Amino acid sequence: MMTQSMLRKIALASFIGMAAFGLAACEEEGPAEQAGENIDETMEEAGESMDDAVDQAGESVEEMGDSVEEAADEADSGY
């Protein structure tokens, strides 16, 4: 018959073995993890591109507003 001490040792050895296997499995990336990282990077780059586009659009609107204001000032001073 197995004693409690032996059962504890077997349980502990099994736990340590499973933990070591789990850690080794986590270190290697599978295709799903690689795909997820690629999606994350793509979404981040898309967000940055959208931020840049919004900034450029804002600058263009400001420039158009300045041009309209200058034209209005010139029209007022011409009369």
Side-chain angles (χ1 to χ4, degrees):
M1 254 182 137
M2 287 193 194
T3 65
Q4 280 189 339
S5 177
M6 286 183 75
L7 287 174
R8 286 184 186 153
K9 289 178 184 177
I10 291 171
L12 181 61
S14 296
F15 177 76
I16 291 171
M18 290 186 336
F21 177 75
L23 289 175
C26 289
E27 290 179 15
E28 295 180 30
E29 288 186 354
E33 284 134 341
Q34 290 173 350
E37 286 181 8
N38 289 341
I39 290 170
D40 289 344
E41 289 175 13
T42 301
M43 293 303 291
E44 187 174 328
E45 290 171 2
E48 290 171 1
S49 294
M50 289 297 293
D51 287 344
D52 291 345
V54 167
D55 289 344
Q56 289 176 353
E59 290 172 8
S60 295
V61 168
E62 283 183 43
E63 289 173 4
M64 285 190 329
D66 291 344
S67 295
V68 168
E69 190 175 325
E70 286 177 21
D73 288 344
E74 288 177 10
D76 283 343
S77 66
Y79 290 113

